[in-house]
Amino acid sequence: MLDIGAECDSNSDGIYDGTVSEFCQCNNAANETDCEDLQLNIGDQCDSNGDGTLDGNVNDSCECIPKNSVIDTCPGYIQNGDFEIITGNPNTSVDQDIDLATHWKKLWVSGSKADLFDETTLEYGASCFEGPTPSSGVFAGMWIENSSTTDATYREGMFNEMSQKIYENSGLYNLSFDYALMSGNCSTSNNVKIGVYGINYSSSDPLPATPTGIGTPSNLDLFGTTNTVFLGEIVISSTTTNTWQSINITIDTSSLTFPTDGINHIMITNSHLPLDEYGKMFVGFDNFCLINQ
């Protein structure tokens, strides 16, 4: 046990090249830290409330965020869950403009991605599409297809930058959102499955390459298997209408294998798990909320 300020070995090579910080971590004196005030690097363990317990991690804004934060008011961990904060007009482009919504992103470099609409939208990308009812301001829409095709045309998705990270073994969470069928007037579809994934992703990293098929690469491989956790899936019936309805799933962080440094994004797209019915629907999404149970 060393005192704060004492010399220490920062990399276990037998050389005392650092000093013990106030957080009882050995910092190499020759290296500058990401966060000068904390004298810690992004991702380091930290003491969130000054009680001497390393109960948090340093985030990208150099804040010490507790690992087990409790947020029980919507939208919770989801930022801009109702899509109402936007930069630009969602009607300027008919589709593929999800990134106009603050804290929402496309999933890959180019090609299909989710769309953004509002109550004034008249053109949804196909003559047989119709807007959800009742009107709900700004909302998202995208194709959900579960099939064995090698064509990626109808593979779309989006992901949200969360307000705080969620870690393994940090309790139960509830994810809820509204959805509506927008392609009911088109050709008949079978049931489809929506997949929900937790992603550890830094905005400074490049986005994944554009997929070559509905399941190629797998959703688990888009950001790398060590950065991804499958949180659950939701089946949308072929009898769904264009009236908004709500659904929720429970996420048990003790029964899933999370990335080592937790998740900071939620990804919504088609499920990677097989669905023999091979359905295809254009679905509207709104009012995402992720809270502790």
Side-chain angles (χ1 to χ4, degrees):
M1 179 67 71
L2 297 174
D3 295 328
I4 294 173
E7 293 185 342
C8 56
D9 179 3
S10 69
N11 57 8
S12 301
D13 63 357
I15 299 174
Y16 281 72
D17 57 355
T19 56
V20 178
S21 73
E22 59 183 306
F23 301 103
C24 297
Q25 294 178 323
C26 186
N27 292 334
N28 190 321
N31 295 329
E32 295 184 1
T33 58
D34 297 328
C35 306
E36 184 177 353
D37 289 345
L38 295 178
Q39 286 298 295
L40 294 171
N41 293 311
I42 293 171
D44 282 352
Q45 290 184 307
C46 56
D47 177 4
S48 69
N49 57 10
D51 66 356
T53 301
L54 299 179
D55 61 347
N57 288 89
V58 180
N59 68 9
D60 293 346
S61 300
C62 290
E63 300 169 321
C64 184
I65 303 299
K67 290 183 179 180
N68 300 316
S69 297
V70 174
I71 304 178
D72 54 11
T73 302
C74 286
Y77 291 82
I78 300 291
Q79 299 192 86
N80 194 23
D82 58 6
F83 301 98
E84 296 300 321
I85 305 173
I86 58 175
T87 55
N89 184 350
N91 295 307
T92 299
S93 175
V94 174
D95 58 8
Q96 300 190 32
D97 55 357
I98 187 62
D99 42 11
L100 290 181
T102 302
H103 299 302
W104 290 90
K105 301 182 180 72
K106 59 184 181 180
L107 282 184
W108 34 75
V109 174
S110 62
S112 287
K113 55 186 176 183
D115 314 322
L116 205 62
F117 310 110
D118 65 16
E119 70 276 4
T120 68
T121 301
L122 299 176
E123 172 58 52
Y124 296 100
S127 60
C128 58
F129 287 1
E130 61 181 339
T133 58
S135 175
S136 64
V138 184
F139 62 96
M142 64 180 170
W143 283 106
I144 299 293
E145 178 176 0
N146 310 99
S147 73
S148 58
T149 180
T150 57
D151 185 355
T153 301
Y154 296 101
R155 182 173 181 176
E156 298 190 333
M158 57 186 175
F159 74 145
N160 179 269
E161 181 182 11
M162 297 156 54
S163 60
Q164 295 186 28
K165 285 184 178 180
I166 291 178
Y167 296 87
E168 189 172 323
N169 294 318
S170 61
L172 296 176
Y173 298 79
N174 183 78
L175 174 68
S176 61
F177 59 88
D178 298 338
Y179 69 93
L181 178 62
M182 297 179 62
S183 57
N185 293 329
C186 307
S187 57
T188 303
S189 174
N190 295 324
N191 298 344
V192 297
K193 287 201 300 186
I194 298 170
V196 180
Y197 303 80
I199 306 293
N200 186 293
Y201 170 74
S202 171
S203 57
S204 63
D205 292 337
L207 287 169
T210 303
T212 57
I214 286 294
T216 309
S218 167
N219 291 332
L220 299 176
D221 295 325
L222 282 172
F223 292 88
T225 55
T226 59
N227 296 316
T228 305
V229 55
F230 178 50
L231 300 175
E233 62 180 7
I234 295 164
V235 174
I236 297 183
S237 169
S238 59
T239 61
T240 296
T241 69
N242 75 319
T243 300
W244 288 114
Q245 53 187 298
S246 299
I247 199 166
N248 65 82
I249 62 174
T250 297
I251 300 169
D252 183 355
T253 60
S254 65
S255 65
L256 302 171
T257 302
F258 272 56
T260 302
D261 194 30
I263 60 172
N264 58 358
H265 286 77
I266 293 292
M267 178 171 78
I268 312 295
T269 186
N270 65 333
S271 176
H272 71 287
L273 296 179
L275 182 65
D276 293 339
E277 297 179 44
Y278 295 158
K280 179 174 67 178
M281 298 179 192
F282 193 83
V283 181
F285 295 89
D286 204 357
N287 298 322
F288 281 88
C289 175
L290 178 61
I291 59 176
N292 298 87
Q293 284 195 334

